[in-house]
Amino acid sequence: QGRREGHVEGAMAMRIQGPSAFGREGKARPLPRARAAAQEAKVEGKERLEKAKGVLACPVCFDALVPVEGNKNKLQCKSMESVQYEKNSKYWDLTVGSRSNGIYQDPNSRLWGVSTFQNPFVSYLYERGWRQGFASAGFPGADKELEMALRFFKDVEGGILLDVSCGSGLFTRRFIQSNAFSAVIGSDFSDTMLRETWERLEADRSIKVDDILLVRADVGRLPFQSASLDAIHAGAAIHCWPNPVAALAEVTRVLKPGGVFVGTTFLLPLAQVGEVVGDDKLRPFWSALRSTRPANQGINYWEEAELKDLCEMCGLVDFQKIRSNGFIMFSAKKPGGKQK
């Protein structure tokens, strides 16, 4: 649509301005106002990118990351200059493991919830049928979920949002397009998911991919400075996290006082019955069900009370939720900050 409007505007300018709208070779020149708007958008995009990069931290010590002089694709820890991290053509790898010589093998990488989403075939399929299958569990769909999440994020609009465990960028793109935040960062542990995110951002003409910060990150060791983010979103993610307690503690650490966390996940089987008769009535059944599952499965379905308890354990308050069948969206805040 933007291209069609540009052609119409150019044609109108040619009729009104005549030959002066053309250069020496007979090609249409951009009008001053169009050039100014394009330049303003370019500056704004770069400012958003720099604002996002300004909250990055060393995943080892959480000190700020600063540019390596003479190399725009490297960052170094402010307090340990020898600890450096590189950017490839698509994202910054800010995992501790990125500095490994390949000998150490992370045992968590073998968990189903981790290894599955590093498979390029799964990354390719995620928005080509995989995610749509969540509707059977009660997930209302990406557009509706975005609308619901933005209501929870109302008090922190205009701040920096992290879309953690962003997968294929399904919500990263939507948060960017919402214009509700001054900067949007996408992070995931999976290399193949981040590449899928980058390709989808590049294909979207409403987004300039070079102005978007993508980060490979371990949710249990988030490479962001303490109290630096206003909003964190984790869509259909927490059930795959190897250590949800460590991850939620990290969410609390990097949120500003008053910052908001919003997540979605799957509830345990028969959750819709529990919503009517009380989840506590089904707790013995759920306990028995969990005891039959392999300990290394790496997938965890939730009871609402567990999510609330987890948030409170990690210092988050004001737990709220929306439930539908086996779907739950929940929100909690970091204490403090100014309330709107």
Side-chain angles (χ1 to χ4, degrees), residues 65 104 121 135 141 162 200 202 225 237 241 253 286 289 297:
L65 289 177
Y104 174 75
F121 186 59
L162 169 65
R200 287 181 173 275
E202 185 185 40
Q225 296 169 40
W241 293 350
R253 179 184 66 81
W286 286 333
L289 180 65
Q297 183 183 20

Side-chain angles (χ1 to χ4, degrees), residues 114-336:
V114 177
S115 62
T116 298
F117 296 101
Q118 298 189 63
N119 184 321
F121 186 59
V122 173
S123 301
Y124 176 82
L125 284 180
Y126 191 76
E127 289 190 44
R128 296 176 174 92
W130 183 295
R131 185 47 160 81
Q132 289 82 344
F134 292 9
S136 62
F139 279 68
D143 291 337
K144 181 63 177 178
E145 290 167 49
L146 173 74
E147 179 185 320
M148 294 159 60
L150 287 175
R151 288 202 295 268
F152 282 127
F153 284 135
K154 186 176 180 182
D155 287 346
V156 290
E157 285 182 357
I160 300 175
L161 176 135
L162 169 65
D163 188 22
V164 70
S165 299
C166 67
S168 62
L170 179 68
F171 288 98
T172 311
R173 302 192 304 274
R174 284 167 169 79
F175 282 121
I176 293 168
Q177 292 162 340
S178 74
N179 292 316
F181 302 94
S182 58
V184 174
I185 304 168
S187 78
D188 203 283
F189 188 71
S190 166
D191 166 80
T192 60
M193 279 295 193
L194 286 170
R195 292 180 183 277
E196 182 74 17
T197 296
W198 191 92
E199 289 170 6
R200 287 181 173 275
L201 286 169
E202 185 185 40
D204 191 325
R205 294 180 180 178
S206 70
I207 297 171
K208 185 169 173 50
V209 66
D210 291 338
D211 294 340
I212 305 303
L213 183 63
L214 297 180
V215 177
R216 182 166 182 255
D218 181 349
V219 70
R221 196 78 184 170
L222 289 173
F224 302 97
Q225 296 169 40
S226 298
S228 63
L229 301 174
D230 301 276
I232 298 179
H233 173 261
I238 192 173
H239 47 273
C240 294
W241 293 350
N243 189 336
V245 174
L248 256 291
E250 277 293 273
V251 165
T252 303
R253 179 184 66 81
V254 301
L255 277 176
K256 293 178 181 178
V260 177
F261 172 67
V262 174
T264 60
T265 190
F266 294 91
L267 293 170
L268 284 157
L270 301 180
Q272 65 273 34
V273 176
E275 196 169 12
V276 175
V277 304
D279 287 343
D280 57 309
K281 300 290 195 306
L282 292 180
R283 201 162 291 142
F285 165 71
W286 286 333
S287 296
L289 180 65
R290 280 175 162 167
S291 68
T292 65
R293 295 188 174 184
N296 65 345
Q297 183 183 20
I299 290 289
N300 186 39
Y301 297 98
W302 295 86
E303 179 186 344
E304 177 190 321
E306 286 181 298
L307 293 168
K308 185 174 186 290
D309 191 29
L310 178 62
C311 288
E312 292 175 349
M313 282 166 53
C314 295
L316 299 175
V317 299
D318 193 20
F319 181 90
Q320 300 179 58
K321 75 358 172 141
I322 300 171
R323 284 175 62 167
S324 175
N325 197 354
F327 163 84
I328 185 169
M329 176 177 283
F330 63 101
S331 170
K333 294 182 179 180
K334 183 171 180 176

